[in-house]
Amino acid sequence: MNSGSATNDRVKYLPVLSLLIAATLWGVIWYPLRLLGDAGLSGLWSTLIIYAVVLVPCLPWLVPHLPIIRKMPGNICLLAIFAGWCNVSFILALLDGNVVRVVLLFYLSPVWTVLLGCFFLDEKLNRRSWLVLGLAMTGSLIILWPEEMGIWSSLDWADLLAISSGMAFAASNVMIRKTGDIPILIKMTATWTGVI
């Protein structure tokens, strides 16, 4: 095996590894945050501190990108709002609700992303895509709809936060695609700023 092939393999698997690590972190973040909450530090304060600690050291690297930010302030502000809502509402939902329900409701976000992509980015869906969307929604209703009551009476505040978090995540994904080739640092700092 030559070194070029090994490098290509690493580059090919890096996004998959990144997604697995991110999904794992988001899957377990509720536990330390609940411990902090039990110790007296609320979810909002924990979130503020975590994102501020990440954002502040990156600010000097953002200065050279200010002309790019000035060209698209509306899109970057929308990205910050959607990403901020997504992260804060997801964390609060995890802290206040049933973790399994919250995660299931949040992970409807691909459904919202596809629909928003159709409406705002003119992406086209084929029959198979519509079938998959229908199956995803049906599966969620089957899992989340208790037999003894309707879905609306069984939804609580944490469930609504989880649903809105998934929708905000979808909207932030659409904004990330809409902002195109702007540097990832701008997109990351917009996300962190939105949370703060």
Side-chain angles (χ1 to χ4, degrees), residues 11-12 14:
V11 169
K12 186 167 71 173
L14 187 59

Side-chain angles (χ1 to χ4, degrees), residues 10-114:
R10 272 185 260 141
V11 169
K12 186 167 71 173
Y13 293 114
L14 187 59
V16 173
L17 180 63
S18 299
L19 285 172
L20 287 173
I21 291 170
T24 301
L25 289 174
W26 278 109
V28 299
I29 195 170
W30 63 273
Y31 185 69
L33 287 174
R34 281 193 178 177
L35 291 177
L36 288 170
D38 291 343
L41 187 62
S42 76
L44 284 176
W45 279 109
S46 299
T47 305
L48 174 67
I49 292 166
I50 291 166
Y51 281 89
V53 166
V54 173
L55 174 66
V56 170
C58 292
L59 290 177
W61 283 279
L62 192 62
V63 173
H65 299 293
L66 288 177
I68 297 170
I69 295 171
R70 287 188 189 110
K71 287 180 186 175
M72 326 177 84
N75 287 340
I76 293 170
C77 283
L78 282 174
L79 173 59
I81 290 167
F82 292 136
W85 181 264
C86 166
N87 286 284
V88 172
S89 60
F90 183 69
I91 288 171
L92 292 178
L94 283 175
L95 292 176
D96 295 336
N98 177 301
V99 173
V100 173
R101 282 178 64 91
V102 167
V103 171
L104 283 171
L105 290 168
F106 173 78
Y107 279 113
L108 287 173
S109 59
V111 172
W112 313 132
T113 301
V114 168

